[in-house]
Amino acid sequence: MEREKVLVSAEETARQKEYMDKVRALHERRTTKPLAYVHTYGCQQNVADGERLMGMLREMGCDFTDDTKRADIVLMNTCAIRENAEKTVYGMLGQLTHTKAANPDQIICLCGCMAQQPRVAEKVKNSYRHVDLVLGPQAEWRFPELLYRAYTERGRVFSIDDEPGRIAEDIPVYRVGGVSAWVSIMYGCNNFCSYCIVPYVRGRERSREPAQIVREVRELVAAGYKEITLLGQNVNSYGKDLGTGYDFADLLAEIDRIDGDYWVRFMSSQPKDATPKLFDTMAASRHVTHQLHLPVQSGNDRVLRAMNRPYTRAGYLELINYARRVMPDLVLTSDIIIGFPGETEAEAMDTVSLINEVHFDALFTFIFSPRPGTPAAKLDDPTPREEKQRWFDALCNAQNAISTAKHAAYIGKTVRVLVEGESDDADWPLSARTEGNRLVRMKGDKSLIGTFATAKISDSNTWALYGAAEETI
Ligand code: SAH
Ligand code: SF4
Ligand code: F3S
């Protein structure tokens, strides 16, 4: 699609602003401010979407509540990546029949990736009649207009057309927390990994203009944010659609020139587009952390091909060897799928052997979940669940031993951390992260929250490091 058509025009943005004003006027007629309950499931991209939806709601005169019973607007920002994610949402929608019965004026809104699927919209149309508004991620920028229609039209509003996707700037954002901020740098995915629903629900890859991203990061740094995470389904393909030759490494280098005391992270990275240039840029930067989430999915070449992941085990190893050569302190994490249709035990064990070879710092592990509409969902899948569970357990055991050993090596060391907030453990009241994004539970004064500090590590387990603040630096 041509670039002008991808970018939401100034007129279209102004129109949505008018709808925000109209909805706010409706809300102002009430005696009290309307309360919105917003719950986000899924990945960080969805969290960033949730912050935009909340930003629009605040602009339309809403306050927020954690209680669905008190809410005038309930917004479920959903995820479709695995079956369980969807089941949770249907369970929650079922419960909302009670809140709606108690408060018939309550507006129930289903948005996010699940809502973009025709099969889900059909089910909601027929079986969840208390849901008033359904919109997919592609229609998110038109939320004010759709909410206005939900208020003023008699019927229910569904906006789930399979649009290629647009880029809207100037949407208000409600940032949860003042230390870390999410910045979407691109939307959508073109990769069509055979198991994955994301390309079907998030449209085609489209990159924001570099100047817009750099401006946003500059403003966040000036506002005191200390950790900026750049988001995309595959940030390594950033810029391909700009047609200017400008790539993700160029963007990182430009952001890095912004002065200030802050860290930059990014996710996710597809190995197929990761380049030595990217790793060199990371190594030379002042602010980009030496941390890489590079999902490999499988350690077996046949399975990788069946997954439509266009790289090999050897190619992956070569990439990370290069990255570790230029960044010896690199913290490396990955995603794994076990039990892809037709995967044999020997193939699954190839993944376990890869884990033992690479020594990742942490893993996000999943058992294959068929997503209707994807090619992998149509494949024969004869392996019983219990068998897959055994392979999965072997994988987790291998990784847990590695994570435990890596964490234990920190004991006695002093590390720089960003103190993000309070923890729920009275013995270790602060929650912090190292540059490599390792969780640190630490003793120290609450005044450290939102600052960089040094922590002396005294203990560890599989999931976290434990220590005490020494001094602010
Ligand atoms: N864009 C990212 C991944 C986003 S989804 C990337 O390509 O790296 C996050 C993870 O969910 C994936 O890396 C994969 O491991 C897992 N996942 C996606 N679809 C799945 C499915 N159908 N069943 C099980 N896990 C899945
Ligand atoms: Fe899904 Fe693959 Fe795109 Fe990641 S790169 S979102 S796994 S299709
Ligand atoms: Fe889920 Fe959509 Fe993210 S399917 S993982 S919320 S892109």
Side-chain angles (χ1 to χ4, degrees):
M1 202 157 93
E2 294 153 48
R3 189 75 186 157
E4 307 84 74
K5 292 196 183 140
V6 172
L7 297 174
V8 171
S9 68
E11 295 76 53
E12 287 171 303
T13 307
R15 225 168 95 81
Q16 293 306 316
K17 289 232 163 78
E18 279 167 26
Y19 278 111
M20 279 196 226
D21 293 340
K22 285 186 182 177
V23 175
R24 192 171 47 237
L26 289 179
H27 286 161
E28 279 167 359
R29 286 200 215 143
R30 305 181 185 201
T31 44
T32 53
K33 267 192 162 191
L35 293 177
Y37 168 96
V38 178
H39 193 94
T40 291
Y41 301 83
C43 64
Q44 277 80 3
Q45 309 241 30
N46 230 28
V47 173
D49 282 351
E51 290 187 343
R52 278 187 282 271
L53 291 160
M54 288 175 83
M56 291 187 260
L57 283 166
R58 184 173 53 183
E59 202 72 16
M60 293 186 275
C62 294
D63 274 341
F64 298 103
T65 174
D66 290 335
D67 183 357
T68 50
K69 291 193 208 73
R70 292 183 61 216
D72 301 288
I73 300 172
V74 175
L75 195 145
M76 309 277 284
N77 188 23
T78 61
C79 169
I81 202 82
R82 284 170 289 276
E83 196 183 355
N84 267 344
E86 293 196 355
K87 275 194 181 145
T88 315
V89 171
Y90 283 126
M92 182 77 184
L93 284 182
Q95 288 174 29
L96 290 174
T97 51
H98 306 298
T99 60
K100 180 95 172 186
N103 173 12
D105 289 335
Q106 188 174 56
I107 293 276
I108 298 179
C109 173
L110 187 77
C111 51
C113 293
M114 209 175 136
Q116 191 72 48
Q117 300 171 96
R119 145 184 87 77
V120 172
E122 209 46 43
K123 185 161 168 174
V124 170
K125 241 178 212 156
N126 299 327
S127 313
Y128 294 86
R129 293 177 173 274
H130 56 303
V131 176
D132 303 282
L133 172 57
V134 178
L135 69 142
Q138 268 103 289
E140 177 192 294
W141 63 279
R142 288 190 277 110
F143 177 54
E145 176 181 352
L146 297 167
L147 183 60
Y148 183 75
R149 283 179 48 200
Y151 273 134
T152 54
E153 289 176 10
R154 267 157 197 253
R156 308 156 71 196
V157 179
F158 283 74
S159 182
I160 49 139
D161 291 347
D162 185 17
E163 308 165 45
R166 311 280 301 274
I167 296 177
E169 297 291 346
D170 299 323
I171 292 186
V173 183
Y174 178 94
R175 296 198 187 267
V176 183
V179 186
S180 306
W182 311 110
V183 175
S184 302
I185 64 165
M186 58 190 299
Y187 306 98
C189 183
N190 287 356
N191 292 318
F192 290 93
C193 302
S194 63
Y195 50 81
C196 185
I197 194 71
V198 172
Y200 303 89
V201 292
R202 292 223 163 225
R204 297 291 61 76
E205 246 163 44
R206 50 213 189 269
S207 307
R208 288 177 70 197
E209 294 293 322
Q212 294 280 5
I213 299 167
V214 173
R215 178 189 52 82
E216 187 172 344
V217 175
R218 188 173 287 121
E219 285 170 6
L220 289 166
V221 171
Y225 284 90
K226 295 281 183 275
E227 181 183 52
I228 314 285
T229 306
L230 309 176
L231 298 175
Q233 284 304 341
N234 172 17
V235 291
N236 296 336
S237 62
Y238 173 82
K240 283 185 178 171
D241 55 325
L242 294 172
T244 57
Y246 187 96
D247 67 10
F248 181 55
D250 296 327
L251 179 68
L252 276 185
E254 199 174 335
I255 289 174
D256 193 56
R257 285 198 281 277
I258 301 171
D259 286 329
D261 200 9
Y262 65 95
W263 281 338
V264 175
R265 306 184 189 283
F266 56 86
M267 68 185 305
S268 260
S269 278
Q270 239 266 20
K272 83 174 172 63
D273 295 319
T275 57
K277 177 182 171 188
L278 168 66
F279 301 140
D280 291 342
T281 306
M282 288 171 74
S285 78
R286 302 181 294 169
H287 302 286
V288 182
T289 57
H290 291 180
Q291 179 226 334
L292 190 62
H293 182 63
L294 196 64
V296 64
Q297 313 296 359
S298 166
N300 176 274
D301 287 347
R302 190 202 66 81
V303 176
L304 283 172
R305 259 196 320 278
M307 288 177 164
N308 196 25
R309 300 282 288 191
Y311 52 86
T312 59
R313 176 185 177 119
Y316 185 85
L317 286 171
E318 204 175 304
L319 261 182
I320 59 166
N321 285 341
Y322 184 86
R324 282 176 164 168
R325 201 156 59 239
V326 295
M327 291 176 282
D329 58 342
L330 183 72
V331 169
L332 183 67
T333 57
S334 202
D335 292 348
I336 299 286
I337 298 178
I338 279 286
F340 186 82
E343 184 176 59
T344 65
E345 177 160 9
E347 288 168 338
M349 291 311 119
D350 280 348
T351 302
V352 178
S353 87
L354 181 80
I355 299 318
N356 285 322
E357 189 172 342
V358 174
H359 280 204
F360 290 104
D361 290 275
L363 279 186
F364 298 87
T365 48
F366 310 100
I367 292 183
F368 171 76
S369 169
R371 307 316 296 133
T374 63
K378 297 185 193 84
L379 298 174
D380 254 6
D381 191 5
T383 310
R385 175 80 190 193
E386 308 78 67
E387 182 87 359
K388 290 187 182 183
Q389 188 66 46
R390 275 202 307 109
W391 306 345
F392 185 78
D393 292 345
L395 177 84
C396 295
N397 291 340
Q399 181 57 42
N400 288 348
I402 294 164
S403 299
T404 308
K406 286 205 170 204
H407 281 168
Y410 276 81
I411 295 176
K413 288 191 179 151
T414 298
V415 288
R416 189 168 193 244
V417 295
L418 175 60
V419 185
E420 294 181 325
E422 290 183 59
S423 85
D424 45 17
D425 183 342
D427 292 338
W428 311 93
L430 297 178
S431 181
R433 295 263 168 191
T434 65
E435 184 191 323
N437 213 17
R438 288 167 196 273
L439 180 63
V440 182
R441 299 271 190 227
M442 60 189 250
K443 297 185 197 294
D445 197 81
K446 271 191 205 167
S447 63
L448 291 175
I449 293 172
T451 68
F452 288 105
T454 48
K456 174 100 191 242
I457 304 302
S458 56
D459 205 350
S460 74
N461 61 21
T462 311
W463 318 110
L465 307 174
Y466 294 81
E470 293 214 312
E471 65 195 277
T472 41
I473 48 170

